[in-house]
Amino acid sequence: MKKTALLIAFSLTSILLTLAYGQEAGTISGLVRDSAQKPLDGAVVSLLLVKDSSLVKSALTEPNGSFLFSNLKDEVYFVLVTEMEHQKYRSQEIVLDESHRAVIVPEIALLSPQ
């Protein structure tokens, strides 16, 4: 009897862990340029949840203007890009789900301040 209960408990735990951690992690990447189409190195890219605008991750753009967020859960996000010499940029909603695991944000061109 104890063996059967232990086996059932182990099986249920395995199933729950598979469901919780079995999803593939998603990625969101993109490229940030200035208005002259030059890559922006060191711009701050923040990844936020649409539902409450909470910060998920942030990163600096690479010298080629690229950024990458990985190991993301299925959610609806948006990207906020800031750089001292340019206007802020806020993306449209970005959906990560079963059919959208690797999303590439359309190229972002930051405008100079007016």
Side-chain angles (χ1 to χ4, degrees), residues 32 42-48 55 57-61 65-69 79-82 108:
V32 180
V44 177
V45 184
S46 301
L47 184 66
L48 300 106
L55 178 65
K57 294 184 177 189
S58 62
L60 297 176
T61 54
S66 67
F67 65 89
L68 170 67
F69 296 110
V79 169
L80 183 66
V81 182
T82 56
I108 299 166

Side-chain angles (χ1 to χ4, degrees), residues 1-7:
M1 183 70 161
K2 285 185 179 179
K3 287 183 180 180
T4 304
L6 189 60
L7 183 60

Side-chain angles (χ1 to χ4, degrees), residues 21-65:
Y21 297 104
Q23 293 182 351
E24 289 183 39
T27 62
I28 296 175
S29 61
L31 187 63
V32 180
R33 296 184 181 274
D34 64 14
S35 56
Q37 293 300 307
K38 293 181 183 175
L40 269 178
D41 180 18
V44 177
V45 184
S46 301
L47 184 66
L48 300 106
L49 291 174
V50 167
K51 65 182 173 187
D52 60 6
S53 296
S54 61
L55 178 65
V56 177
K57 294 184 177 189
S58 62
L60 297 176
T61 54
E62 298 292 328
N64 65 357

Side-chain angles (χ1 to χ4, degrees), residues 81-89 109-114:
V81 182
T82 56
E83 202 275 336
M84 288 182 57
E85 297 179 7
H86 295 84
Q87 292 181 8
K88 287 182 185 179
Y89 170 85
L110 293 187
L111 302 175
S112 298
Q114 296 178 347

